[in-house]
Amino acid sequence: MTLGHFEAGGGWEAQIRQYVRKKYRQDLAGLAGLDPQALAALFRGELAPGRPYASIQWVLRVAPFRPLEVFLLFDQDPEFGTDLRVFYARKSLAVPTEDAYVFAWDYVALLARYGRGQFSLTNAGPGPEWLPLSDFAPDGTAPVQEVALGAREEILERVTPEVVEVAVRRMDCGTFAQGGESWEVAWPLLGDLSFRFRYGPAGSEMAFDSHGARKYAPEFLLSLTWLYINGLLRECRQVDDTLPKLSAYF
């Protein structure tokens, strides 16, 4: 992927850039002192080899799952100060606008936390155990969890494990497993955060690795949960067109 393939997505980049400048500009200035290779590892991304102009310090490419591909350009200009620009690869325009926005916001917010020193650059990797969200989330998280799933449960009731397995392969991310009447998908979300979604007769369960569950706030975890489940259900619809479109529920 070369820099010539970046796209702003019909004004997406300008809107996100305005949001970044308003909320996170001072926090992001701290990124200048951090190792970009370490950041890339924590984001499960890679540093792009080219830079569009001299004040760009690094370009981080992140591809959460097919077809989404996001480029984060860290700019530190002597005259105008720190800036972070967000671009999407052309194929990302197939992702619904809201989901593409939320991914970008989550990444920017995470970079800001690293910039202000809230998180260490040490990549401890995902923890060895799965912790259900219900075991560690504070009181009051249940309504947020309902937003993350909500009407999606109705679609999940109609999806077969065979369709889910193919959908996971189409996403080019995650692993599928089936046991009895239940199935599960595990996704590596970040270098030190993994998510498992399990579904069966007893309903759904969201669990995170024991390291990431303790490091990241439940609101951030549930935002990523929402995005990955949306991606899964959209791919399931591509495999089985008798399933309802996700957009029909919202």
Side-chain angles (χ1 to χ4, degrees), residues 189-201:
L189 306 185
L190 298 170
D192 58 354
L193 172 64
S194 293
F195 165 54
R196 185 188 70 189
F197 182 72
R198 179 177 288 168
Y199 190 81

Side-chain angles (χ1 to χ4, degrees), residues 38 42 114 119-125 191-192 211 215-216:
L42 283 163
Y114 278 104
F119 295 141
S120 167
L121 279 181
T122 302
N123 188 350
D192 58 354
H211 170 78
K215 179 177 179 180
Y216 298 104

Side-chain angles (χ1 to χ4, degrees), residues 58-70:
W58 44 258
V59 178
L60 175 59
R61 171 188 174 270
V62 183
F65 54 75
R66 195 192 66 84
L68 187 61
E69 189 173 6
V70 182

Side-chain angles (χ1 to χ4, degrees), residues 91-110:
K91 63 185 178 181
S92 299
L93 303 183
V95 177
T97 302
E98 183 179 8
D99 284 19
Y101 270 147
V102 173
F103 259 114
W105 290 337
D106 282 346
Y107 286 145
V108 169
L110 191 55

Side-chain angles (χ1 to χ4, degrees), residues 116-140:
R116 63 174 175 257
Q118 182 174 336
F119 295 141
S120 167
L121 279 181
T122 302
N123 188 350
E129 301 173 353
W130 290 109
L131 297 181
L133 180 68
S134 57
D135 287 1
F136 68 87
D139 294 341

Side-chain angles (χ1 to χ4, degrees), residues 99-204:
D99 284 19
Y101 270 147
V102 173
F103 259 114
W105 290 337
D106 282 346
Y107 286 145
V108 169
L110 191 55
L111 278 173
R113 284 166 172 78
Y114 278 104
R116 63 174 175 257
Q118 182 174 336
F119 295 141
S120 167
L121 279 181
T122 302
N123 188 350
E129 301 173 353
W130 290 109
L131 297 181
L133 180 68
S134 57
D135 287 1
F136 68 87
D139 294 341
T141 305
V144 183
Q145 182 171 347
E146 174 61 23
V147 170
L149 288 176
R152 293 162 184 81
E153 293 272 15
E154 297 182 27
I155 305 177
L156 288 164
E157 291 176 1
R158 301 173 58 175
V159 176
T160 66
E162 293 76 16
V163 167
V164 174
E165 184 175 11
V166 176
V168 172
R169 290 203 300 268
R170 286 175 56 90
M171 293 177 75
D172 197 25
C173 176
T175 57
F176 171 86
Q178 184 178 3
E181 298 182 73
S182 300
W183 55 263
E184 66 180 44
V185 182
W187 284 288
L189 306 185
L190 298 170
D192 58 354
L193 172 64
S194 293
F195 165 54
R196 185 188 70 189
F197 182 72
R198 179 177 288 168
Y199 190 81
S204 60

